[in-house]
Amino acid sequence: MTPSQTALTDALVTARRGNHTLDATRWTDALETDIQAYEVQNAVAAALGWFNAQPVPGTWKSGGGSRSATLTHAPLPPAGVRQGPANFSDLVFHAPGIEAEIALRLGQNVTPAQAAQLDHDNTASLIDAMAVSVEIVDSRWQDLAATPALLRLADSQVHGALALGEWTPYAAVDWASQRCETKVGNAETVVREGTHPLADPAWLLPIWLRHLTRHGQTVPAGTVVTTGSWVGIVPCRRGDQVTVEFADIGAVRLIV
């Protein structure tokens, strides 16, 4: 890594260990490419011992604002991935928000050769189950809105924690009419229908799997990926109770 990448890694590790945030303006020029951002991701995870040298971490986030956008990916620290109903009151968050998502689970191993041949029409058979999921988005950057995209990516794509609902067998869904209801604390329920940014959560699978296999690793069956928010980011506060329900798929509850 470059000296600036190493310094950024050290700063992010210190911020996580000390539960404090960083001023992004100091680091604006630290990264030039997404490859460098992913290298910092990996270095932070290694320094904090998140995955104990696992070739491929077990749970990921992936997604983007549209099919024409560059999708981004981040492995999720296992300590913050919990089965719902989940309580995250033991974790520290700085400015948390809620994302309502669908998680997908691989039903078979995927080798680099297989990943290279995938397209958006032949990946559904790789999935054995889906679940409602809620990501608590949180950042080590003080002003997230003003933070460059590469710095967000280096910071695990601003991940805080994840709650997973019960797994149900994966089946074809009319995503264009899929209803999602998100209730945070005493705020009015946010209702969305057909608002997944990629139109189909499984659309990202070929891109995500090629990212995971890019260094020659095989992705094992059981690996989980969350696929992007149906509601954007809904603000929340410490102690809020959150319920997310996707009609005919399931629901998950958590306490921030």
Side-chain angles (χ1 to χ4, degrees):
M1 293 199 301
T2 66
S4 61
Q5 284 177 279
T6 300
L8 176 59
T9 298
D10 292 343
L12 286 170
V13 169
T14 299
R16 284 184 176 273
R17 285 177 172 161
N19 293 320
H20 66 260
T21 56
L22 301 168
D23 180 357
T25 58
R26 177 183 172 187
W27 302 98
T28 301
D29 299 323
L31 301 172
E32 297 180 356
T33 67
D34 59 351
I35 293 174
Q36 291 182 338
Y38 286 122
E39 288 173 345
V40 172
Q41 261 191 23
N42 293 338
V44 170
L48 295 173
W50 284 345
F51 307 118
N52 297 317
Q54 283 179 265
V56 178
T59 308
W60 292 73
K61 65 179 292 184
S62 181
S66 70
R67 291 189 177 188
S68 62
T70 299
L71 304 192
T72 57
H73 325 278
L76 308 187
V81 178
R82 302 177 183 181
Q83 198 70 33
N87 189 326
F88 295 102
S89 60
D90 58 313
L91 301 184
V92 174
F93 301 117
H94 304 289
I98 294 300
E99 293 190 344
E101 308 189 38
I102 293 293
L104 303 175
R105 188 178 69 193
L106 287 181
Q108 63 185 71
N109 296 346
V110 178
T111 67
Q114 289 172 318
Q117 298 299 317
L118 294 174
D119 61 38
H120 299 294
D121 298 321
N122 65 5
T123 54
S125 62
L126 302 175
I127 300 301
D128 75 337
M130 58 185 174
V132 175
S133 64
V134 174
E135 183 184 11
I136 300 176
V137 175
D138 196 46
S139 178
R140 272 42 61 185
W141 301 112
Q142 292 169 8
D143 184 355
L144 182 57
T147 299
L150 290 178
L151 292 180
R152 299 185 192 196
L153 182 56
D155 181 30
S156 298
Q157 195 56 26
V158 296
H159 172 72
L162 181 72
L164 290 166
E166 293 186 9
W167 293 101
T168 187
Y170 182 74
V173 172
D174 179 9
W175 296 112
S177 62
Q178 177 63 53
R179 182 180 174 91
C180 168
E181 298 185 7
T182 303
K183 175 72 172 176
V184 178
N186 295 320
E188 186 175 340
T189 299
V190 178
V191 180
R192 296 288 185 268
E193 186 172 302
T195 52
H196 190 271
L198 305 179
D200 178 351
W203 188 88
L204 58 73
L205 290 173
I207 300 169
W208 170 66
L209 287 166
R210 282 193 277 273
H211 177 77
L212 270 61
T213 58
R214 68 196 187 283
H215 298 311
Q217 299 97 329
T218 291
V219 184
T223 303
V224 171
V225 61
T226 66
T227 55
S229 179
W230 290 64
V231 297
I233 300 177
V234 181
C236 65
R237 297 179 295 181
R238 169 65 71 195
D240 276 346
Q241 297 190 44
V242 177
T243 301
V244 171
E245 181 173 1
F246 281 77
D248 300 319
I249 296 177
V252 66
R253 295 175 177 81
L254 62 95
I255 298 175
V256 178

